[in-house]
Amino acid sequence: MRMKAPVNPNLAILSLAVGTFAIGSGEFAMMGLLPDVARSLGATIPQCGNIVSAYAIGVVIGAPLVSLAVTRLSRKHTLMILMTWFALTNILGTLAHSIWSLEFWRFLAGLGHGTLFGGSALVAASLAPPGKQGRAVGHVFTGLTVANVIGAPFATFAGAYVSWRLSYLIVGAIALLATLMMTLCLPSDAPRRGHSILNELDLFRRRQIWYVLGVVMLGCGGMFCVYTYVSAALLHVTHVPAWSIPLYLSLWGIGMVVGAYAGSIAIDRNPFAATVGAFIWNIVTLSVFALALPWVWPVTGAVFLLGGTIALGPAMQMRLMAVAGEAQTMAASMNHAAFNMANAIGAWVGAIFLASGFGYAWTGWGGAAIAALGLLLFLFATAAEKRDMAREQRTETV
């Protein structure tokens, strides 16, 4: 269902992008803040990796449950409520004084993430003309990518020189600003009273949905295997100065902006080729990072190239929306559940390598292996879909 056109579509899209900027800043800031959080809470960096996983698990659990809870609400009211929740949980999380309490608040903050991001993508697509939905979804992802250019690096800087708590107070304030902008700028839409929980649950009867979710978990898990520990890797292996870490995170973010933009255009032209290309990019750049890590200039280039791995996100968002039928809210939310499951998988695999003494370069090799598995699953799923379509055509002919 298309939403009624707003007075200013650009402002409506901007309000969504500010929301995804807040979400992205809150999610990705923790990777750069791990050393500061570890010092503050008296823990090791691998232990603090579980804080990243706690948020991701919150997203995975919250995506289906929250989507069911808001089934009959209007999309505008859903986004406003969940953005307020995100703001409050980030602000209250600054009161944590142990790893366990911080994990608890990060878990709560992640509960609405999937429905927030997915709902924003659906609203953006509903406002776009035919043939440009991929670019509209890409604009929503722009907030996430810009968060890696400005939000996460600034949070890392604030954490290094003031406290990680200040970083998350700022994230909460930006989320409240996004709520206000959504209230003023998004078009009103009617509650979906005729839409039932069963409509959304029907999504999980579709085999292709499970394939896509698996592809997202593996395809994006490789990126998080490196990103979770990139600050520590640059400090301890490349031996860059601490003040340069925010700059490296900004460089990664710039690569994400370029990757998301190029990927969204490619999706509108050829979704299959765009997805395969994104996977190949992931595998190659993760391997390059592993090789380049000991040297400053080569690893600097690798960090920029790694930002392009985000192109897989919009591709999978559009794929899920295409195969979801009427369960659009659930599908859009589950994409981000899978994306954050990838976050948890990547952090977990990286922690195993580090705890086993393999070294930070193995986060790159492990990430490349995970991404390669994702590509194989995507090709298998595509072949399975073609076989199913051929079988249906033969049945109709008979």
Side-chain angles (χ1 to χ4, degrees), residues 33-44 48 94 96-99 102 159 162-165:
L33 291 170
L34 283 184
D36 180 63
V37 173
R39 287 192 300 271
S40 173
L41 301 181
T44 66
C48 288
T94 63
H97 289 283
S98 69
I99 285 183
L102 184 54
V162 183
S163 170
W164 63 267
R165 302 177 196 277

Side-chain angles (χ1 to χ4, degrees), residues 96-371:
H97 289 283
S98 69
I99 285 183
W100 305 112
S101 59
L102 184 54
E103 286 178 1
F104 172 74
W105 284 109
R106 295 306 296 152
F107 171 80
L108 292 182
L111 289 176
H113 177 119
T115 307
L116 264 172
F117 232 120
S120 296
L122 289 172
V123 171
S126 73
L127 297 173
K132 293 187 177 181
Q133 284 86 356
R135 299 184 195 187
V137 173
H139 290 323
V140 171
F141 272 81
T142 298
L144 177 66
T145 58
V146 173
N148 284 271
V149 179
I150 301 173
F154 179 79
T156 302
F157 178 84
Y161 292 98
V162 183
S163 170
W164 63 267
R165 302 177 196 277
L166 173 63
S167 301
Y168 278 96
L169 284 174
I170 294 172
V171 168
I174 296 172
L176 290 176
L177 173 63
T179 303
L180 177 62
M181 292 182 66
M182 290 176 179
T183 304
L184 298 175
C185 301
L186 287 183
S188 298
D189 59 314
R192 294 169 293 161
R193 294 190 176 90
H195 199 71
S196 70
I197 291 177
L198 293 178
N199 292 137
E200 296 293 334
L201 290 177
D202 184 66
L203 176 79
F204 298 106
R205 298 175 57 186
R206 302 167 185 259
R207 185 172 60 172
Q208 279 297 318
I209 291 294
W210 292 105
Y211 284 146
V212 177
L213 295 178
V215 168
V216 173
M217 283 188 282
L218 293 174
C220 297
M223 176 190 74
F224 284 112
C225 194
V226 168
Y227 193 82
T228 303
Y229 304 100
V230 67
S231 297
L234 291 170
L235 288 171
H236 299 305
V237 180
T238 317
H239 300 296
V240 302
W243 59 262
S244 69
I245 295 299
L247 299 180
Y248 276 98
L249 295 180
S250 289
L251 186 62
W252 186 309
I254 293 170
M256 292 181 76
V257 172
V258 175
Y261 179 76
S264 62
I265 294 175
I267 292 163
D268 283 333
R269 294 179 178 176
N270 190 322
F272 176 80
T275 304
V276 172
F279 268 113
I280 294 173
W281 184 271
N282 284 16
I283 295 168
V284 171
T285 54
L286 287 164
S287 300
V288 168
F289 174 83
L291 292 170
L293 188 56
W295 300 282
V296 173
W297 291 113
V299 80
T300 299
V303 167
F304 171 75
L305 295 177
L306 279 168
T309 58
I310 196 63
L312 192 61
M316 291 297 98
Q317 185 78 69
M318 292 300 295
R319 176 63 181 157
L320 272 174
M321 290 165 63
V323 299
E326 294 185 4
Q328 290 291 316
T329 300
M330 181 68 74
S333 300
M334 289 305 297
N335 181 46
H336 297 279
F339 187 76
N340 280 268
M341 193 64 195
N343 191 335
I345 290 172
W348 175 65
V349 171
I352 290 176
F353 281 123
L354 296 178
S356 300
F358 282 96
Y360 287 100
W362 276 88
T363 61
W365 295 122
I370 296 170

Side-chain angles (χ1 to χ4, degrees), residues 33-86:
L33 291 170
L34 283 184
D36 180 63
V37 173
R39 287 192 300 271
S40 173
L41 301 181
T44 66
I45 289 178
Q47 286 174 331
C48 288
N50 293 329
I51 298 171
V52 176
S53 298
Y55 181 89
I57 292 170
V59 179
V60 173
I61 293 175
L65 296 182
V66 173
S67 294
L68 293 177
V70 301
T71 295
R72 297 187 178 184
L73 292 179
S74 71
R75 290 205 170 108
K76 178 176 180 177
H77 287 158
T78 296
L79 293 178
M80 291 165 52
I81 291 170
L82 294 180
M83 187 57 70
T84 302
W85 172 267
F86 181 80

